[in-house]
Amino acid sequence: MMATTRFAKAPAPAEPARRGPGGRQFFRTHRELTSAATFFVAMLGVFALANPGVWLRGDIFAAVATTMPQLMILSVALVFVVALGEIDLSFPSIITLGSLVFASAATAGIQPSVAVLLALLAGLGAGLLNGVLVAYLGLSSFVTTLGMNFFWAGLINILSNGSGKPLQFMSGTAEFNAFVGTVFGIPVQLFWGLAAAAIGGLLFSKHKFGAYVRFAGDNREAAAQLAVPVRAIKVASFSYVGLSAGLVGVIVTLVNVNFYPNVGAGLLLPALAGVFVGGTPMFGGVGTIAGAAIGAITISFINVGIITSGLSGFWTDFVYGIVIVLSLGVHRIAERFSFRPRTGRNKREPAAVTPAA
Amino acid sequence: MVASGNRVLELDGITKSFGGVRAVDGASFHVDGGEVVCLLGDNGAGKSTLVKIITGVHTPDSGQMSINGELIKRWNPARARDAGVQTVFQDRSLAGRQTVARNIFMGRELTTRFGLIDDKRQEAEAEALLRGVGFTSKALSARSEVLNLSGGERQGIAIARAMHFAARLLILDEPTESMSLTQIRLTLGFTRAARDRGIAVLLISHNIADAYAVGDRFLVLDRGRVLETFHKSEISEGELVRFMEHANADSAGTGSRTTSERQTTQESSA
């Protein structure tokens, strides 16, 4: 009876397309992105219900755009490391390192554009060091980067004597306008954030680098057998995060027109949350840059949403917690939903190429 | 040694130990273009370790290896690939969460003028390859994620990939394991096709019937050494099976070997 039923159904799957209706196919290949976007819209909806009037004004969005791009730049770069099955916890101190290098160089009278370059190089170097430690010494990235976060934070405290550096003289310079000025009322850093996301997206989904990152994060052994340079890819990914942190270091310094010795510290959890809220899972092999960008936006709107809803700042962490856990739930549901038809079809697939028991 | 003009692979006294356990112990043999050489042996005989040495994943402790008559100095997977060595590993070397096309072209991407991966072309070629290997199921496309495929389908993809890129030497490590009869027939057919194109084929198998069906020469490996070599004309399938049983029974008697053997297998597959 069972067998007859299965046999009768067998020929059916041949016709139903491997490419379902357009929408469903899009959802399948971009399910993390779709669920991240859905979640973001739902969250905005809740905030808007709490205080509809505020959300019609542009200044809220301008406020978000001042700090959001920094998160976006970080979350995008972190996707590469997370998709490799690794983690980077040292970027907050690398941001501060970039900030210190930039502020010190600028204060010392070095050409500001050269100071920017030095900050980027410092970030790149710190990231490179992480990568070498993880890829070539085989150290755990979690512990290594946790240690490096302390290392750089401590070194910065020693070098700066724990005191800040005012940079008011930078205000209005060409470099200031290039990173944190405004164009038509839009903060310039938003363009940097979007550019970082666009470049990251291209690298991740269309370039060999991204393909290798995903493959190595998915099956390291197989990657090595297929001559994918796994170690170099790891070093490059950590360097990429370092470089991005260096850039964020320059931006935050110019936003504050000040260096202070723990400027990066507050970005650790929001930037990582952006990655996971965006739908990149922890197990490696999979990731989404567009999702991370949406994740960074989602996280950035939490603060504003809390204030416009009339809640006190004490609610912030509480809402962060809810958002992060809820979004993971949404991704999980989306994953099941998008997998179900395929698994079902495979089960009905007859003996053509099934393994002999 | 007299190297024939067609000698693709030659191993001489290859040794490899893992933490005091000799996985390969002075193995010497050769494979010529246009022949299928089968490496037969029990678990822990050193088959997988040998494959990983030939493909550059492991470096031998001692011994010499030549490919296409050239002595190998510094060998790694990228060089092996560039020398025309293609391998279907026992674990198939597939990444489950990537598409079939990305898996087939991993490390050898087809790119556009701007250096980006040309997914359209890769998918089209992958579809053609899959049809070439005998896949007819429409549920399996170049855009399917490998995770959703059956063991036989995965094997087919690994073979399609190796066939597509193998220039000189094709290594098949347990190619018919966990396959249906139809799929085995296809796999063996492809093995013959590769040989007929002049490719040297090294086939590693537990399954003597499958190996005998395509093999020209049979090397019986035991404890990392080549115990015996047979030409197909010298031995019948039944005799080969009996010889293997005998060899296995002999080595099973030596007490402590079983544990070390397991270690070796684990390490070499780690």
Side-chain angles (χ1 to χ4, degrees), chain A residues 262-308:
Chain A
N262 61 347
V263 61
L267 289 167
L268 175 65
L269 296 178
L272 283 174
V275 175
F276 299 120
V277 167
T280 297
M282 279 224 56
F283 48 67
V286 188
T288 157
I289 298 293
I294 292 175
I297 296 172
T298 307
I299 295 291
S300 300
F301 269 100
I302 292 177
N303 268 327
V304 181
I306 285 167
I307 293 161
T308 58

Short mmCIF file of all heavy atoms in Angstrom, two decimals, chain A residues 262-308:
data_model
loop_
_atom_site.label_atom_id
_atom_site.label_comp_id
_atom_site.label_asym_id
_atom_site.label_seq_id
_atom_site.Cartn_x
_atom_site.Cartn_y
_atom_site.Cartn_z
N ASN A 262 38.24 55.04 25.05
CA ASN A 262 37.39 53.84 24.93
C ASN A 262 36.29 54.07 23.90
O ASN A 262 35.19 53.55 24.02
CB ASN A 262 36.80 53.46 26.30
CG ASN A 262 35.94 54.57 26.86
OD1 ASN A 262 35.97 55.69 26.35
ND2 ASN A 262 35.17 54.27 27.88
N VAL A 263 36.65 54.83 22.88
CA VAL A 263 35.65 55.23 21.89
C VAL A 263 35.00 54.05 21.17
O VAL A 263 33.83 54.07 20.83
CB VAL A 263 36.26 56.25 20.88
CG1 VAL A 263 37.42 55.63 20.13
CG2 VAL A 263 35.21 56.75 19.92
N GLY A 264 35.75 52.96 20.98
CA GLY A 264 35.20 51.83 20.23
C GLY A 264 34.40 50.85 21.07
O GLY A 264 33.62 50.05 20.54
N ALA A 265 34.60 50.94 22.39
CA ALA A 265 34.06 49.90 23.27
C ALA A 265 32.55 49.65 23.10
O ALA A 265 32.09 48.52 23.11
CB ALA A 265 34.38 50.24 24.72
N GLY A 266 31.81 50.75 22.91
CA GLY A 266 30.35 50.61 22.84
C GLY A 266 29.85 49.93 21.58
O GLY A 266 28.66 49.63 21.45
N LEU A 267 30.75 49.68 20.61
CA LEU A 267 30.28 49.16 19.32
C LEU A 267 30.34 47.64 19.23
O LEU A 267 29.83 47.05 18.28
CB LEU A 267 31.12 49.78 18.19
CG LEU A 267 30.84 51.27 17.95
CD1 LEU A 267 31.90 51.88 17.06
CD2 LEU A 267 29.46 51.44 17.32
N LEU A 268 30.94 46.99 20.21
CA LEU A 268 31.12 45.54 20.14
C LEU A 268 29.79 44.81 19.93
O LEU A 268 29.59 44.12 18.93
CB LEU A 268 31.79 45.02 21.41
CG LEU A 268 31.93 43.50 21.51
CD1 LEU A 268 32.86 42.96 20.45
CD2 LEU A 268 32.42 43.06 22.89
N LEU A 269 28.89 44.97 20.88
CA LEU A 269 27.65 44.20 20.79
C LEU A 269 26.72 44.67 19.68
O LEU A 269 26.19 43.82 18.95
CB LEU A 269 26.96 44.17 22.16
CG LEU A 269 27.83 43.42 23.19
CD1 LEU A 269 27.17 43.43 24.56
CD2 LEU A 269 28.11 41.99 22.76
N PRO A 270 26.52 45.98 19.48
CA PRO A 270 25.65 46.38 18.38
C PRO A 270 26.12 45.87 17.02
O PRO A 270 25.31 45.42 16.21
CB PRO A 270 25.68 47.91 18.43
CG PRO A 270 26.11 48.25 19.79
CD PRO A 270 26.96 47.12 20.29
N ALA A 271 27.45 45.94 16.76
CA ALA A 271 27.94 45.53 15.44
C ALA A 271 27.76 44.02 15.24
O ALA A 271 27.34 43.58 14.16
CB ALA A 271 29.41 45.91 15.28
N LEU A 272 28.04 43.24 16.28
CA LEU A 272 27.82 41.78 16.15
C LEU A 272 26.34 41.49 16.04
O LEU A 272 25.92 40.63 15.25
CB LEU A 272 28.42 41.06 17.36
CG LEU A 272 29.94 40.90 17.34
CD1 LEU A 272 30.43 40.30 18.65
CD2 LEU A 272 30.38 40.04 16.16
N ALA A 273 25.53 42.22 16.82
CA ALA A 273 24.08 42.02 16.75
C ALA A 273 23.59 42.29 15.33
O ALA A 273 22.73 41.57 14.82
CB ALA A 273 23.37 42.92 17.76
N GLY A 274 24.17 43.30 14.68
CA GLY A 274 23.78 43.61 13.30
C GLY A 274 23.98 42.40 12.39
O GLY A 274 23.14 42.10 11.54
N VAL A 275 25.09 41.69 12.59
CA VAL A 275 25.38 40.50 11.77
C VAL A 275 24.31 39.43 11.97
O VAL A 275 23.75 38.89 11.01
CB VAL A 275 26.76 39.90 12.14
CG1 VAL A 275 27.01 38.60 11.39
CG2 VAL A 275 27.86 40.90 11.86
N PHE A 276 24.00 39.16 13.24
CA PHE A 276 23.09 38.04 13.53
C PHE A 276 21.63 38.41 13.29
O PHE A 276 20.87 37.59 12.78
CB PHE A 276 23.34 37.53 14.95
CG PHE A 276 24.75 37.04 15.13
CD1 PHE A 276 25.60 37.60 16.07
CD2 PHE A 276 25.25 36.03 14.31
CE1 PHE A 276 26.91 37.16 16.21
CE2 PHE A 276 26.55 35.59 14.43
CZ PHE A 276 27.38 36.15 15.39
N VAL A 277 21.25 39.63 13.66
CA VAL A 277 19.89 40.09 13.37
C VAL A 277 19.69 40.09 11.85
O VAL A 277 18.61 39.81 11.35
CB VAL A 277 19.65 41.50 13.97
CG1 VAL A 277 18.38 42.13 13.43
CG2 VAL A 277 19.61 41.42 15.49
N GLY A 278 20.76 40.37 11.13
CA GLY A 278 20.69 40.39 9.67
C GLY A 278 20.54 39.01 9.06
O GLY A 278 20.28 38.89 7.86
N GLY A 279 20.72 37.96 9.84
CA GLY A 279 20.43 36.63 9.33
C GLY A 279 21.64 35.77 9.03
O GLY A 279 21.51 34.65 8.53
N THR A 280 22.85 36.24 9.31
CA THR A 280 24.02 35.38 9.13
C THR A 280 24.12 34.47 10.35
O THR A 280 24.19 34.95 11.48
CB THR A 280 25.30 36.24 9.01
OG1 THR A 280 25.19 37.05 7.84
CG2 THR A 280 26.53 35.37 8.90
N PRO A 281 24.07 33.15 10.12
CA PRO A 281 24.14 32.24 11.27
C PRO A 281 25.58 32.04 11.75
O PRO A 281 26.52 32.42 11.06
CB PRO A 281 23.57 30.94 10.71
CG PRO A 281 23.82 31.01 9.25
CD PRO A 281 23.93 32.45 8.86
N MET A 282 25.72 31.43 12.92
CA MET A 282 27.05 31.26 13.50
C MET A 282 27.82 30.06 12.97
O MET A 282 29.02 29.96 13.18
CB MET A 282 26.92 31.13 15.03
CG MET A 282 26.77 32.45 15.71
SD MET A 282 27.76 32.62 17.19
CE MET A 282 29.42 32.29 16.65
N PHE A 283 27.13 29.13 12.28
CA PHE A 283 27.80 27.87 11.97
C PHE A 283 28.73 27.91 10.75
O PHE A 283 29.39 26.93 10.45
CB PHE A 283 26.79 26.73 11.83
CG PHE A 283 25.60 27.03 10.97
CD1 PHE A 283 25.74 27.24 9.61
CD2 PHE A 283 24.34 27.09 11.53
CE1 PHE A 283 24.64 27.51 8.82
CE2 PHE A 283 23.23 27.37 10.75
CZ PHE A 283 23.37 27.57 9.39
N GLY A 284 28.80 29.04 10.06
CA GLY A 284 29.75 29.15 8.96
C GLY A 284 29.21 28.65 7.63
O GLY A 284 28.28 27.84 7.59
N GLY A 285 29.78 29.18 6.54
CA GLY A 285 29.37 28.74 5.21
C GLY A 285 28.27 29.58 4.59
O GLY A 285 28.06 29.54 3.39
N VAL A 286 27.55 30.30 5.44
CA VAL A 286 26.43 31.10 4.95
C VAL A 286 26.54 32.51 5.52
O VAL A 286 27.03 32.69 6.63
CB VAL A 286 25.09 30.49 5.42
CG1 VAL A 286 23.91 31.19 4.77
CG2 VAL A 286 25.04 29.01 5.15
N GLY A 287 26.06 33.48 4.78
CA GLY A 287 26.06 34.84 5.28
C GLY A 287 25.32 35.74 4.32
O GLY A 287 25.06 35.35 3.17
N THR A 288 24.96 36.91 4.77
CA THR A 288 24.32 37.86 3.87
C THR A 288 24.74 39.27 4.22
O THR A 288 24.59 39.71 5.36
CB THR A 288 22.78 37.74 3.89
OG1 THR A 288 22.20 38.97 3.44
CG2 THR A 288 22.23 37.43 5.26
N ILE A 289 25.30 39.94 3.23
CA ILE A 289 25.77 41.31 3.44
C ILE A 289 24.58 42.26 3.50
O ILE A 289 24.51 43.12 4.38
CB ILE A 289 26.72 41.72 2.29
CG1 ILE A 289 27.95 40.81 2.28
CG2 ILE A 289 27.11 43.18 2.43
CD1 ILE A 289 28.87 40.96 3.46
N ALA A 290 23.63 42.09 2.58
CA ALA A 290 22.44 42.95 2.59
C ALA A 290 21.73 42.78 3.93
O ALA A 290 21.25 43.75 4.52
CB ALA A 290 21.53 42.59 1.44
N GLY A 291 21.67 41.54 4.41
CA GLY A 291 21.06 41.28 5.71
C GLY A 291 21.79 42.02 6.81
O GLY A 291 21.17 42.64 7.68
N ALA A 292 23.12 41.98 6.78
CA ALA A 292 23.91 42.66 7.82
C ALA A 292 23.65 44.16 7.78
O ALA A 292 23.58 44.82 8.82
CB ALA A 292 25.39 42.37 7.63
N ALA A 293 23.52 44.71 6.55
CA ALA A 293 23.23 46.15 6.43
C ALA A 293 21.88 46.45 7.08
O ALA A 293 21.74 47.40 7.86
CB ALA A 293 23.23 46.56 4.96
N ILE A 294 20.88 45.61 6.77
CA ILE A 294 19.55 45.80 7.38
C ILE A 294 19.63 45.58 8.89
O ILE A 294 19.00 46.30 9.66
CB ILE A 294 18.53 44.85 6.73
CG1 ILE A 294 18.30 45.27 5.28
CG2 ILE A 294 17.21 44.87 7.51
CD1 ILE A 294 17.40 44.34 4.51
N GLY A 295 20.43 44.61 9.30
CA GLY A 295 20.61 44.35 10.73
C GLY A 295 21.18 45.57 11.44
O GLY A 295 20.71 45.96 12.51
N ALA A 296 22.18 46.20 10.82
CA ALA A 296 22.79 47.39 11.42
C ALA A 296 21.76 48.51 11.51
O ALA A 296 21.69 49.24 12.51
CB ALA A 296 23.99 47.84 10.59
N ILE A 297 20.92 48.64 10.47
CA ILE A 297 19.87 49.68 10.49
C ILE A 297 18.87 49.37 11.60
O ILE A 297 18.48 50.24 12.38
CB ILE A 297 19.16 49.75 9.11
CG1 ILE A 297 20.16 50.18 8.03
CG2 ILE A 297 17.99 50.71 9.17
CD1 ILE A 297 19.61 50.10 6.60
N THR A 298 18.48 48.09 11.69
CA THR A 298 17.52 47.68 12.72
C THR A 298 18.04 48.07 14.11
O THR A 298 17.33 48.71 14.89
CB THR A 298 17.30 46.15 12.68
OG1 THR A 298 16.95 45.78 11.34
CG2 THR A 298 16.20 45.72 13.63
N ILE A 299 19.29 47.69 14.37
CA ILE A 299 19.87 47.96 15.68
C ILE A 299 19.92 49.48 15.94
O ILE A 299 19.65 49.94 17.03
CB ILE A 299 21.31 47.36 15.74
CG1 ILE A 299 21.24 45.84 15.65
CG2 ILE A 299 22.04 47.80 17.00
CD1 ILE A 299 20.65 45.15 16.83
N SER A 300 20.25 50.23 14.87
CA SER A 300 20.38 51.68 15.04
C SER A 300 19.05 52.36 15.36
O SER A 300 19.01 53.41 15.98
CB SER A 300 20.97 52.31 13.78
OG SER A 300 22.22 51.76 13.53
N PHE A 301 17.97 51.75 14.89
CA PHE A 301 16.66 52.36 15.12
C PHE A 301 16.11 52.06 16.52
O PHE A 301 15.12 52.65 16.93
CB PHE A 301 15.65 51.91 14.05
CG PHE A 301 15.62 52.82 12.87
CD1 PHE A 301 16.29 52.51 11.69
CD2 PHE A 301 14.92 54.02 12.93
CE1 PHE A 301 16.26 53.36 10.60
CE2 PHE A 301 14.89 54.88 11.84
CZ PHE A 301 15.56 54.55 10.66
N ILE A 302 16.74 51.12 17.21
CA ILE A 302 16.21 50.76 18.53
C ILE A 302 16.25 51.96 19.48
O ILE A 302 15.25 52.30 20.10
CB ILE A 302 16.99 49.57 19.13
CG1 ILE A 302 16.72 48.30 18.31
CG2 ILE A 302 16.58 49.33 20.58
CD1 ILE A 302 17.49 47.09 18.77
N ASN A 303 17.42 52.61 19.54
CA ASN A 303 17.57 53.76 20.44
C ASN A 303 16.52 54.83 20.17
O ASN A 303 15.83 55.29 21.08
CB ASN A 303 18.95 54.39 20.27
CG ASN A 303 19.94 53.78 21.24
OD1 ASN A 303 19.56 53.42 22.35
ND2 ASN A 303 21.17 53.67 20.82
N VAL A 304 16.43 55.21 18.89
CA VAL A 304 15.48 56.24 18.50
C VAL A 304 14.05 55.80 18.82
O VAL A 304 13.25 56.57 19.36
CB VAL A 304 15.61 56.52 16.99
CG1 VAL A 304 14.65 57.60 16.57
CG2 VAL A 304 17.03 56.92 16.66
N GLY A 305 13.77 54.52 18.51
CA GLY A 305 12.43 54.00 18.74
C GLY A 305 12.05 54.07 20.21
O GLY A 305 10.90 54.40 20.55
N ILE A 306 13.00 53.78 21.06
CA ILE A 306 12.73 53.80 22.50
C ILE A 306 12.41 55.23 22.95
O ILE A 306 11.44 55.47 23.68
CB ILE A 306 13.94 53.24 23.27
CG1 ILE A 306 13.97 51.72 23.10
CG2 ILE A 306 13.86 53.60 24.75
CD1 ILE A 306 15.26 51.10 23.55
N ILE A 307 13.20 56.17 22.47
CA ILE A 307 13.00 57.56 22.88
C ILE A 307 11.65 58.08 22.35
O ILE A 307 10.87 58.66 23.10
CB ILE A 307 14.16 58.43 22.39
CG1 ILE A 307 15.44 58.01 23.13
CG2 ILE A 307 13.88 59.92 22.63
CD1 ILE A 307 16.72 58.43 22.47
N THR A 308 11.37 57.81 21.07
CA THR A 308 10.11 58.32 20.51
C THR A 308 8.90 57.65 21.15
O THR A 308 7.82 58.22 21.18
CB THR A 308 10.03 58.12 18.99
OG1 THR A 308 10.17 56.73 18.71
CG2 THR A 308 11.12 58.90 18.28
#
